[in-house]
Amino acid sequence: MGGNSGTALVVGAGVGGLATAIGLRRAGWEVTVLERRAALERYGTAFGIHPTAQSALDRLGLGDALRARAVPYRDGWIRRPDGTVLAALPLERIERKAGRPELLVSRPYLIDALLAELDRLGGTKIEYGRPLAGEAASLVADPATDQAVGRAAAPAPLPPGVDLLVGADGINSAVRTAHFGARSRPRRIDTVAWIGTAGFETGVYGETWGAGRFFGMTPVEPGRTNWYATVPEATTADELRGAFADWHDPIPRVLAETDPATWIRYEMRHLYPALPAFTAAGRVALVGDAAHAMTPNLGQGACTALLDAEALTRAVAERGPAGLPAALRAYGAERRRSAQRVAFASRNLHRFMSARRPALRDALVGLLPG
């Protein structure tokens, strides 16, 4: 790779980790990716890719692969449970400002496109079934209690021979806890989320907001519809179907005709308090959920991970291994406040969308421009 190459260890093979590995390989770095799972998960949910994240993918050399399978999102509305339209989603405004529309792409396809690009570039080792070894592996939040299992008295050392360690290992990041401490950690927000894919096109897209719950539908690819729902009390498929049984068509049909075995249920969480830095010791950086895990209400999780990955690897490429501390400072200056503003806005939107007394909320939404 020449004298400008360095050695990087990326922990986590999700969207942010794979995009970071691609950017580093394009800069000539030797890269190893550790993934704690034995194989990557390819569940069929959709990612919304904002034009800014599309530009990041263009700079990583992946824009054409995205556009080959993505569908534009141009028609979405906010509705009441009875189907009354309250407002349009700001999709037209986004397209007018950026000159291109929001895109929706299936998660499995985006993961496969990232893997294909890494394979094309060559030289990256992905080691599956490999969590971060040593002390850092035990310093994670217990998902049953949201309490830190341990606390690093001092930053953990980097593995031998590694110039740059990138934590892309999600909301329960071992890299974050080992190198940034346990104060910022996952916190529950007492809402259960469900996601799935219906085997037909509903033709009705956007979000429906009720009292303490909401339901969303987006296109994802021909013949399929991505859907998501949140409701505090639903713990089974039957309870979820019951919670939306009297909502407008086609919501009951989507739930009735989608196999619950394919649904994904998870407790919504976010990272709190916000981290004071995304980098440490001039050699450690966090990207994606490891740095700023947020509620999914703005649909920006994948976008912010891609923006992080591109900004980090661009800064590293510009300065080389000798300038790594300066590169990480530049990355933090570019991304931390921006990503944390998105996370804060998403959490506030969740509160607004989930209001249990929705009359005032609906009146305010109705004042939004169409």
Side-chain angles (χ1 to χ4, degrees):
M1 291 288 109
N4 195 44
S5 66
T7 301
L9 179 64
V10 177
V11 183
V15 169
L18 294 176
T20 299
I22 288 168
L24 290 171
R25 282 300 297 149
R26 289 172 67 88
W29 281 56
E30 299 291 342
V31 182
T32 298
V33 179
L34 301 186
E35 170 54 47
R36 65 179 177 82
R37 298 180 179 87
L40 294 186
E41 294 180 342
R42 284 178 169 80
Y43 49 84
T45 55
F47 285 141
I49 308 297
H50 189 274
T52 55
Q54 294 171 39
S55 296
L57 283 168
D58 285 333
R59 291 189 291 271
L60 289 169
L62 287 155
D64 289 342
L66 170 72
R67 288 182 284 271
R69 289 284 294 273
V71 297
Y73 192 20
R74 291 188 165 107
D75 181 24
W77 303 86
I78 300 171
R79 295 177 172 86
R80 289 194 181 103
D82 65 3
T84 301
V85 171
L86 293 171
L89 293 176
L91 301 170
E92 182 181 349
R93 201 177 324 137
I94 290 171
E95 183 170 359
R96 187 169 59 247
K97 181 178 179 180
R100 52 177 155 178
E102 180 104 1
L103 295 178
L104 290 156
V105 66
S106 72
R107 185 184 189 278
Y109 174 75
L110 183 58
I111 291 291
D112 286 343
L114 293 167
L115 289 170
E117 179 65 9
L118 270 182
D119 185 62
R120 188 190 71 78
L121 291 169
T124 298
K125 295 184 292 183
I126 302 180
E127 301 181 8
Y128 295 100
R130 283 285 312 277
L132 185 65
E135 180 190 15
S138 65
L139 295 174
V140 298
D142 180 349
T145 64
D146 280 352
Q147 298 299 310
V149 175
R151 178 174 300 179
L158 266 64
V162 172
D163 298 309
L164 171 64
L165 174 64
V166 180
D169 47 343
I171 192 169
N172 288 318
S173 172
V175 175
R176 182 186 65 241
T177 312
H179 292 274
F180 297 78
R183 182 169 178 265
S184 294
R185 62 181 188 269
R187 313 287 179 139
R188 284 197 178 96
I189 59 172
D190 297 324
T191 302
V192 177
W194 302 72
I195 53 178
T197 306
F200 59 93
E201 295 180 40
T202 65
V204 177
Y205 303 122
E207 295 182 337
T208 302
W209 297 0
R213 65 194 67 182
F214 57 86
F215 196 97
M217 293 173 285
T218 71
V220 58
E221 57 191 21
R224 306 177 80 203
T225 297
N226 172 70
W227 64 265
Y228 51 94
T230 70
V231 57
E233 65 272 20
T235 58
T236 69
D238 286 342
E239 289 173 346
L240 185 69
R241 284 171 168 158
F244 296 99
D246 60 351
W247 285 34
H248 69 81
D249 291 333
I251 292 173
R253 180 187 168 204
V254 165
L255 294 175
E257 297 185 17
T258 307
D259 182 0
T262 66
W263 301 0
I264 298 167
R265 176 187 181 276
Y266 64 95
E267 299 280 344
M268 287 177 63
R269 296 180 295 163
H270 67 139
L271 188 68
Y272 183 83
L275 286 166
F278 284 1
T279 66
R283 296 176 63 193
V284 181
L286 301 176
V287 300
D289 282 353
H292 47 68
M294 63 188 73
T295 67
N297 301 81
L298 283 174
Q300 291 292 304
C303 292
T304 51
L306 290 168
L307 290 166
D308 291 348
E310 191 279 327
L312 172 63
T313 57
R314 171 168 33 86
V316 169
E318 289 171 354
R319 293 163 178 83
L324 191 56
L328 296 196
R329 286 195 298 272
Y331 163 65
E334 178 176 341
R335 289 298 305 148
R336 184 175 69 85
R337 292 189 183 279
S338 174
Q340 288 176 346
R341 280 196 298 269
V342 173
F344 181 74
S346 190
R347 180 70 181 94
N348 284 338
L349 181 59
H350 174 79
R351 292 190 182 100
F352 186 70
M353 292 170 64
S354 302
R356 292 183 178 273
R357 297 181 178 178
L360 177 59
R361 177 201 66 196
D362 291 356
L364 292 173
V365 171
L367 297 175
L368 296 174

